[in-house]
Amino acid sequence: MRTTRRLRLLAATGTAVAALALTACQDGTGTKDEGAAGSATTTSTAATPKASEGADGTSTGTGTGTSTGAGTSTGAGTSTDGGKSTRTPADTTTATAKKPGGGQDDASADRVLCNGSNTAVKVQSLSRPLNHMLITVTNTGSKLCDLTYFPVLRFDEMQWAPQGAKETQPQAVTTLAPGESGYAGVLLSAADGSGDGGTTGHRLTVAFQGMTPNSSGGASALPSLPAKGVYYDSSLQVTYWQQNRADALDW
């Protein structure tokens, strides 16, 4: 009887020890504890650089590249949560093409200086006024041309040039439309013979001035003179360019 009870006690003790060993193994030594969930899912999220985000949910990037999402990308710039990216250029300066004449809206591109390359020049000896000659310049070009100041005259190899009579200076520059003519009068010699160094010229050069006095206005002209030549002396003088023939002779 005692032997039987001892055997039952030993069996119960062995069962309890086995249960304790199994519990220890499940809690910490490799047997997975099933827990409340039937399976565990592990999620790994890679850290990505974030652009600065404003209170309205719009993030602004400064790099170069393309944006992802449903929208389209036009380059580096501002991206929104909707997936659209709009490029904002760093430099928004707009270059403005300037018009000729320093950007002024004028007709400077349609006018030039009158000179020997765009005019026809003719000289004519006159009986009245006495000892006078008339210079006629006709615009043969396609643009307006300006006759500035007065013609610079040189007979043959003369070493001086007559000055313009100040009292004949017009209020405005003489401007010729295509086909129009301008005029200058020339006093060749003193009527009373008081001039010095009288001589006869056989070749005449007419030079044109630029926008400043005594500057070059371009090509000179070589108009034909009468076969007998033109007599002149130290009284030689010329008018400023005139719009009208009468103004060139009435002095």
Side-chain angles (χ1 to χ4, degrees):
M1 179 68 69
R2 288 182 179 179
T3 301
T4 300
R5 293 176 63 182
R6 184 176 294 175
L7 290 174
R8 288 177 180 175
L9 179 62
L10 290 173
T13 303
T15 299
V17 171
L20 289 172
L22 179 60
T23 301
C25 183
Q26 289 172 341
D27 290 339
T29 59
T31 302
K32 182 169 64 177
D33 184 1
E34 296 297 328
S39 62
T41 302
T42 303
T43 302
S44 175
T45 303
T48 57
K50 295 183 67 178
S52 61
E53 183 170 304
D56 59 356
T58 300
S59 61
T60 303
T62 58
T64 302
T66 58
S67 64
T68 60
T72 59
S73 171
T74 59
T78 303
S79 63
T80 63
D81 290 343
K84 294 181 180 180
S85 175
T86 303
R87 184 174 183 271
T88 303
D91 185 2
T92 58
T93 302
T94 301
T96 303
K98 293 184 177 182
K99 295 180 181 180
Q104 299 297 320
D105 189 11
D106 57 22
S108 60
D110 297 323
R111 64 194 310 134
V112 294
L113 290 172
C114 300
N115 57 44
S117 68
N118 55 20
T119 62
V121 181
K122 180 177 68 174
V123 299
Q124 179 183 2
S125 296
L126 302 173
S127 57
R128 290 189 179 183
L130 186 63
N131 300 335
H132 276 67
M133 181 175 72
L134 179 68
I135 301 175
T136 302
V137 175
T138 303
N139 183 356
T140 59
S142 60
K143 298 180 179 181
L144 294 173
C145 75
D146 292 329
L147 286 168
T148 57
Y149 306 104
F150 51 87
V152 178
L153 306 181
R154 183 183 183 189
F155 285 101
D156 298 323
E157 302 300 323
M158 63 186 292
Q159 300 300 309
W160 58 282
Q163 292 299 301
K166 192 67 176 177
E167 66 272 18
T168 66
Q169 184 173 2
Q171 295 295 317
V173 173
T174 297
T175 299
L176 306 181
E180 282 190 330
S181 297
Y183 308 90
V186 182
L187 172 62
L188 295 170
S189 60
D192 59 3
S194 60
D196 296 326
T199 188
T200 299
H202 296 280
R203 183 168 59 91
L204 175 64
T205 300
V206 179
F208 298 83
Q209 299 190 58
M211 297 306 296
T212 57
N214 302 314
S215 64
S216 175
S220 298
L222 297 170
S224 299
L225 294 178
K228 64 179 182 179
V230 173
Y231 179 85
Y232 69 94
D233 62 21
S234 60
S235 302
L236 184 64
Q237 196 173 20
V238 64
T239 68
Y240 279 69
W241 290 112
Q242 306 294 324
Q243 203 78 48
N244 302 311
R245 174 188 171 103
D247 293 334
L249 297 178
D250 187 19
W251 65 291

